[in-house]
Amino acid sequence: MADINLFSRLGNLWKGFISLWISDVEKNHPEIAYENSIMGLTAKYEKLKYATAAIIRRRDDISGRVDIASKALAQVTSDLNAAMATGQDDLALVLIQKKNALDAELADLTGEAGQATADADDAKGSLMAVKSEIGKLKAEKDRMLAKMQSAQARIQIQNQLEGLSVDADVQALDKVREHIKTTVAQASLGKELHESDLDVRLKKLQSQSGSVTAKAQLEEMKRQRAAATAQAGGTKQM
């Protein structure tokens, strides 16, 4: 008993997996889902059409029997009138019994004919409803698939536009700017390192010292010249 329950549960689980897989396939390919529904309704329509044909055939059979019974009743009624007119009472009694039987039969057939006609009308209505549903489903399929194709095209265009976005160009330009700044910084760093070198600083100091010495010599020469000029002027006055 436990094994049977286990196999039953495994079977249900497998059916569940298959159902989920089919559902995913139908989502990705909606035309398959629509086609399956249309095929299912079409198969139902064919079965219903066969059943409707049987109901209509029964209605026609009963209608034929009603016609036969009506004609027989009319004939018996005519014969009964003739028998009574000619005074044939024994024949009239037989015809009366036959007429009563035909009246009862015709009443039953009339009731069956009415029911058969109603059944046939209902069956035809159901048949036309299924046929109409098939037509609506086909139209819906074309309409919805067209909408989906349009939506997919819009998404594709949007993705392409996003790929052509200026953000990518701006990002590329930012990288170029960053590279330029880095290069300038490297150049500045080289200059700073050069100026920080001891030999460079010593040469710079020596150059500055030479300038200071030259300036001192120039000032001394100016002072001596001024003194000589002043001395020469004093001698002339004496």
Side-chain angles (χ1 to χ4, degrees):
M1 187 67 179
D3 292 339
I4 295 176
N5 291 333
L6 177 61
F7 287 133
S8 177
R9 291 174 60 187
L10 289 175
N12 292 334
L13 183 62
W14 177 251
K15 290 179 181 178
F17 281 130
I18 294 297
S19 178
L20 290 175
W21 177 74
I22 292 175
S23 178
D24 291 338
V25 171
E26 289 178 341
K27 287 179 181 178
N28 295 327
H29 302 279
E31 66 277 6
I32 296 177
Y34 274 106
E35 195 61 31
N36 288 337
S37 297
I38 292 172
M39 290 175 62
L41 283 177
T42 302
K44 181 180 179 181
Y45 175 79
E46 293 298 328
K47 292 180 180 179
L48 187 58
K49 185 167 66 173
Y50 181 81
T52 302
I55 293 173
I56 291 175
R57 184 174 64 250
R58 177 175 177 272
R59 180 202 63 186
D60 294 341
D61 290 342
I62 295 175
S63 296
R65 291 168 60 190
V66 169
D67 291 339
I68 293 172
S70 296
K71 291 178 181 179
L73 180 60
Q75 184 63 47
V76 169
T77 301
S78 177
D79 293 341
L80 177 59
N81 291 332
M84 289 188 297
T86 58
Q88 301 181 57
D89 293 343
D90 54 343
L91 185 58
L93 291 174
V94 174
L95 291 172
I96 288 173
Q97 293 177 356
K98 190 173 183 179
K99 180 178 179 300
N100 291 336
L102 287 172
D103 284 335
E105 181 183 359
L106 186 59
D108 291 340
L109 288 174
T110 301
E112 290 183 15
Q115 185 61 50
T117 300
D119 292 342
D121 291 341
D122 290 341
K124 287 190 295 183
S126 299
L127 189 65
M128 295 304 296
V130 174
K131 185 177 181 180
S132 176
E133 190 65 25
I134 292 173
K136 291 179 181 179
L137 197 56
K138 288 181 178 179
E140 180 184 339
K141 171 191 172 184
D142 295 338
R143 185 174 65 256
M144 296 303 291
L145 291 181
K147 285 184 177 181
M148 184 172 183
Q149 291 175 355
S150 177
Q152 290 175 340
R154 290 172 58 193
I155 292 174
Q156 185 176 4
I157 292 173
Q158 290 173 0
N159 291 335
Q160 291 176 352
L161 290 177
E162 289 177 359
L164 297 175
S165 175
V166 295
D167 292 341
D169 296 333
V170 171
Q171 291 177 359
L173 187 58
D174 288 340
K175 292 180 180 179
V176 172
R177 290 170 178 166
E178 190 67 24
H179 177 69
I180 293 174
K181 291 179 180 179
T182 301
T183 303
V184 172
Q186 289 177 349
S188 299
L189 178 61
K191 181 180 179 182
E192 292 178 5
L193 292 176
H194 179 73
E195 292 178 351
S196 299
D197 187 80
L198 292 177
D199 293 337
V200 174
R201 291 171 62 188
L202 180 59
K203 289 181 180 180
K204 186 176 181 180
L205 179 61
Q206 291 175 350
S207 176
Q208 291 175 350
S209 298
S211 297
V212 171
T213 302
K215 287 181 179 180
Q217 290 178 349
L218 177 61
E219 292 297 329
E220 179 62 24
M221 291 174 65
K222 287 181 178 180
R223 187 185 62 76
Q224 291 177 358
R225 185 174 182 180
T229 301
Q231 185 177 4
T235 303
K236 288 180 179 181
Q237 290 178 358
M238 291 179 63

